[in-house]
């Protein structure tokens, strides 16, 4: 496995060990841009734990929890679930993982999500991967995905694109403005996209050495 920045502990000048904060990489991109696909490769190569906010919400929706009906209706309308619910699910998953390197996929989706995650966890992302893909290609991928997702239909997909443009792109732009964005051309074959992803992780490693 290739290493990327080590989050475990560091040693201060006086020799005492200090707990470091976990390393978080946010993985953003429009619906169907290939976030989940690339995260699976990153996990294999770089030892991160991968949490898709959408997957966590779908699991919560199917668990019979009191939020289940609300989550289903938000997902089917392509709307963004309140930050409190999503941040709690992410925080719980991170704590239970035992890992200290996380890919958070499909989150933060709006400014409120971004601020809530930082306020609750005290963690800022090391960097943000952004999979840039034309709408027509994302639409094709969603409609061919065939994984039984209730929101993979043309009507909901269009609502998701609209929410992405209106609410999520400003978050992407924010990270670009503070120099944390790593933009990847996602409109290429999966292996080619991953070559670019590997280059990003390798260059981050070099900076940390
Ligand atoms: N580079 C690619 N070229 C062609 N097809 C791809 C590529 N990357 C992913 N796919 C396919 O497109 C579909 C969507 O990919 P994936 O689920 O990874 O996207 P996503 O960004 O996680 O989507 P969502 O936001 O809806 O969860 C899948 O069927 C996947 O196999
Ligand atoms: O942080 C999040 C992530 C997702 N949602 C809702 O889930 C669906 C599906 O998300 P995917 O990332 O495509 O799996 C999304 O359209 C939202 O309705 C969310 O509210 N907050
Ligand atoms: Mg996904």
């Amino acid at each position: 496995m290739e290493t990327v920045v080590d989050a475990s502990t560091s040693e201060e000048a006086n020799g005492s060990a200090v707990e470091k904060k976990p390393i978080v990489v946010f993985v953003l991109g429009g619906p169907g841009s290939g976030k989940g696909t690339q995260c699976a490769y990153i996990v294999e190569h770089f030892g991160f734990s991968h949490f898709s906010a959408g997957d966590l919400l779908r699991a919560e929706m199917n668990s019979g929890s009191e939020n289940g009906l609300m989550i289903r209706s938000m997902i089917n309308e392509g709307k963004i679930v309140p930050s409190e619910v999503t941040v709690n699910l992410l925080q719980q998953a991170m704590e239970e993982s035992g890992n200290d390197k996380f890919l958070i996929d499909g989150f933060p989706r709006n400014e409120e999500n971004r601020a809530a995650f930082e306020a609750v966890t005290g963690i800022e992302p090391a960097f943000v991967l952004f999979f840039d893909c034309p709408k027509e290609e994302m639409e094709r991928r969603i409609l061919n995905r065939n994984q039984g997702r209730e929101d993979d239909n043309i009507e909901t997909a269009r609502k998701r694109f609209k929410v992405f443009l209106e609410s999520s792109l400003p978050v992407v732009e924010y990270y670009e403005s503070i120099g944390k964005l790593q933009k990847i051309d996602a409109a290429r074959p999966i292996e080619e996209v991953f070559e670019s992803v590997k280059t990003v992780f390798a260059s981050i490693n070099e900076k940390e050495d």
Side-chain angles (χ1 to χ4, degrees), residues 162-189:
K162 189 164 184 285
V163 169
F164 172 71
L165 291 179
E166 289 173 359
S167 302
S168 310
L169 260 189
V171 177
V172 171
E173 285 159 4
Y174 165 74
Y175 285 118
E176 187 167 36
S177 76
I178 62 167
K180 286 201 170 180
L181 198 73
Q182 298 285 345
K183 183 167 160 178
I184 308 260
D185 174 5
R188 296 171 292 156

Side-chain angles (χ1 to χ4, degrees), residues 35 52-55 57-58 74-75 78-81 86 106-107 109 113 149 151 160:
K35 301 180 293 296
S52 150
D55 285 351
L57 287 167
R58 281 183 284 276
M74 299 299 268
I75 287 181
K79 290 184 181 161
I80 299 171
V81 171
T86 316
F107 178 96
R109 266 181 144 82
N113 276 176
R149 276 179 53 166
D151 56 346
R160 288 155 69 196

Side-chain angles (χ1 to χ4, degrees), residues 1 10 16 43 52 102 112 143 162 186:
M1 194 199 311
S10 69
S16 61
V43 166
S52 150
F102 304 103
E112 192 213 351
L143 297 180
K162 189 164 184 285

